[in-house]
Amino acid sequence: IREGDRVVGVTAKDEHGERLEFRAKMVFDCSGARAVIGNMLKIRHASPQKRCAVYAHYRARALDEDLQDGWIVAQMFPNGWTWLIPLGDDLMSVGVVLETERYQQPETFPEGKRADESPEQYLDRMIESKGLLESGMSPDATRVSDVRVTGNVGYTSDRFIGEGWALIGDAAYFIDPCYSSGVHLALSSAELAADIFLRCHAEGDYSPRHFRCYEKKLRSTEKAVTKMVDAFYIASRN
């Protein structure tokens, strides 16, 4: 809900489809990749790294010792990587991250999707051709979810704060899944925003100037993690 340039609340629907309205001193957008406020204000845009992810859930036993201990394991290939994530009860998240160009232009890159290949066939082929995916889980692995394909996984926002609102976690930006930095950002940004809000509430002043340090902190973290991610992909090419 906007009044002039200020966000003053949100609308929602109850289980009967009735419209509800909630007013608030501030609205914190924790909507993740949906980025409700960012899209509404047209301040969100794709990052230049241009990588996509192809992933699904499989029913399989973990054979890799690290997986059995509950760790996420990954394997690099040039300009990309694959993951295995144990989810419990013999359920495994299996994914591939690669440049969108590689996925869309398979005639140039061996890891890309072939012209006559569906996302399901592509992921099956990657499981067969990448040692970690093939040896990390039992050969009777059965896919139990749809295969999902993201567009460009990375995005950012022109600003993270405004009149009556602030973006939290993935609603602000997302860089790359390789270090699970989105989990860190979600928790740390939520904690910092809550601390600032409590001070604002005590003073009765919710102006954006109080959140400038929040914007500065998130932007600094974004730059630092981007450098780490760039180094990861440089390593994958070497």
Side-chain angles (χ1 to χ4, degrees), residues 2-7 41 162-165:
R2 299 171 69 184
E3 292 180 354
D5 293 331
R6 187 173 186 83
V7 173
L41 299 180
E163 292 286 349
W165 60 269

Side-chain angles (χ1 to χ4, degrees), residues 192-237:
L192 178 58
D195 287 342
I196 297 171
F197 175 78
L198 289 175
R199 293 197 296 270
C200 292
H201 190 62
E203 298 173 9
D205 179 5
Y206 305 93
S207 60
R209 63 185 177 86
H210 294 294
F211 281 84
R212 287 172 187 162
C213 61
Y214 176 82
E215 172 109 29
K216 184 177 180 180
K217 176 66 174 177
L218 260 64
R219 199 65 76 183
S220 174
T221 302
E222 181 181 27
K223 290 179 181 178
V225 174
T226 297
K227 288 181 179 179
M228 293 173 60
V229 168
D230 287 344
F232 177 93
Y233 286 98
I234 290 171
S236 78
R237 298 192 293 271

Side-chain angles (χ1 to χ4, degrees), residues 143-160:
R143 184 166 55 83
V144 294
S145 76
D146 294 335
V147 174
R148 299 184 181 274
V149 182
T150 70
N152 186 359
V153 295
Y155 54 86
T156 188
S157 305
D158 294 329
R159 49 199 170 101
F160 303 143

Side-chain angles (χ1 to χ4, degrees), residues 4 79 125 140 148 156 183-184 194:
N79 278 325
R125 177 164 61 85
D140 60 349
R148 299 184 181 274
T156 188
V183 178
H184 160 75

